[in-house]
Amino acid sequence: TLADMAQTSRAYFSSGVVLDEKAVAKHLTAETKPVLALVRDRLGAVSSWSTAELDPVIKAVSEQANVGMGKVAQPVRVAVTGNTVSPGIGETLELMGRDESLRRIDAALGRIE
């Protein structure tokens, strides 16, 4: 519906993010913090902020951490959009932009105890 579309797209048109607390409880945890921190470090080194550059970073972290892609992409998705539904993670990061994506991931990392 239009109401759903407006709610879902809000994250892309505002500074900062409103986090869904259920998504946070499930995906932004002490267990996911090291993976999210590794993604943050790797994303910070990406030279071209495009889906073609971003997707391989998520895949590489998944392989390095020996976890499924969902265990990497979902915490990033929640950190960046505030919920568990978005386009592909590379597209989401590209749409959000480098500075805003990194700022939101940093905020999420600071929130995890």
Side-chain angles (χ1 to χ4, degrees), residues 77-90:
R77 183 173 282 112
V78 172
V80 173
T81 69
N83 61 59
T84 58
V85 178
S86 77
I89 195 61

Side-chain angles (χ1 to χ4, degrees), residues 3-12 14 16-28 70 72-89 92 96 104 108:
D4 291 338
M5 187 175 78
Q7 176 68 21
T8 303
S9 65
R10 180 175 59 173
Y12 300 95
S14 62
V17 64
V18 176
L19 297 169
D20 176 282
E21 290 305 320
K22 285 184 182 179
V24 168
K26 185 173 181 179
H27 297 288
L28 297 182
V72 179
Q74 281 300 79
V76 174
R77 183 173 282 112
V78 172
V80 173
T81 69
N83 61 59
T84 58
V85 178
S86 77
I89 195 61
T92 299
M96 198 63 65
R104 290 179 184 196

Side-chain angles (χ1 to χ4, degrees), residues 18-89:
V18 176
L19 297 169
D20 176 282
E21 290 305 320
K22 285 184 182 179
V24 168
K26 185 173 181 179
H27 297 288
L28 297 182
T29 65
E31 180 184 334
T32 63
K33 187 174 185 174
V35 172
L36 188 59
L38 182 56
V39 169
R40 169 52 175 97
D41 289 343
R42 296 280 179 84
L43 290 175
V46 170
S47 60
S48 172
W49 200 259
S50 67
T51 301
E53 293 284 327
L54 299 167
D55 279 340
V57 170
I58 302 300
K59 184 176 180 178
V61 170
S62 171
E63 291 171 356
Q64 181 179 345
N66 199 29
V67 296
M69 287 285 289
K71 296 285 185 180
V72 179
Q74 281 300 79
V76 174
R77 183 173 282 112
V78 172
V80 173
T81 69
N83 61 59
T84 58
V85 178
S86 77
I89 195 61

Side-chain angles (χ1 to χ4, degrees), residues 11 14-17 79-81 96 100-108:
S14 62
S15 180
V17 64
V80 173
T81 69
M96 198 63 65
E100 189 66 20
S101 293
L102 296 177
R103 188 173 18 259
R104 290 179 184 196
I105 292 170
D106 287 341

